[in-house]
Amino acid sequence: MPAPSAPTRRRVLTALAVALLVAAVALLPGADRPEETEMPDPSPGALRVMPLGASSTVGVGSPATAGYRLPLWERLTADGVAVDFVGSRSSGPDALPDTDHEGRSGWTAARMLPLTGGWVLAADPDVVLLHAGTNDLLSGTSAQATAATLDRMLDRIFTAAPGTHVIMAGVWAPLPKQRTERARLASLLPGVAERHRAAGRSVEYADVSGLFGSGRTADGLHAGPDAYRTIAAMWADRIGAWQDRTPVPSTRR
């Protein structure tokens, strides 16, 4: 009997990986397991965007704008993008029509790692906005170890959603006491993204180390409202560039 072809083997392996992730979701603690009642009905034809990260994803520093999420929503809709934020958490001001996200304030990337696959599997995003690693550096974790964790996070994301596009941002917080490790992480993450692209995955790295200075933070660590608008513009520009070069369902006029 002939051996199965490479594409057939890949399909079988992908199906097995997804089945394992489904089982893993069922075993997650109740506080972190994406429940069906928490997930809104998908918006037909909308681009499913998953904000994934720590306190900046939640919006610490500018709760009135949910961090970057309200200005990002405004920018994308102004650009003609029908957007559906996805994730198992929901928070934000009344001005934000869609408050879903996958932010965990204070969490390191290492703490997020075991749950990442389940979150992504439940959300089924078209685009993941990944911003993690700041808390790892703050806790004394080396840049090399942090980069390795983010590498594994990408593995979990693409196992759960092979067709998604990931925009992986570096650390935008100034972190003066971790300046050396912050710079080292910024030098390592392009290689992490390149290894995944070489495997056929859609991922890009955004170097945000010079995006804004300490004078535009709310507390020396988290972005203030104006800086979050700069972050939102960065995400929107990269989403738009990806849409321009990638055939996707029509979400832009």
Side-chain angles (χ1 to χ4, degrees), residues 183-203:
R184 176 64 175 154
L185 182 63
S187 73
L188 292 171
L189 291 182
V192 171
E194 179 55 39
R195 284 195 294 276
H196 286 271
R197 283 197 298 273
R201 294 164 165 179
S202 183
V203 58

Side-chain angles (χ1 to χ4, degrees), residues 42-62:
S43 302
L47 186 72
R48 296 173 64 81
V49 176
M50 182 181 193
L52 172 58
S55 54
S56 292
T57 301
V58 176
V60 175
S62 182

Side-chain angles (χ1 to χ4, degrees), residues 131-166:
H131 177 247
T134 303
N135 291 323
D136 301 74
L137 297 185
L138 285 170
S139 69
T141 303
S142 70
Q144 185 171 359
T146 301
T149 299
L150 291 169
D151 192 359
R152 292 194 292 273
M153 284 188 76
L154 290 175
D155 278 330
R156 302 290 180 94
I157 290 168
F158 287 114
T159 299
T164 197
H165 177 66
V166 178

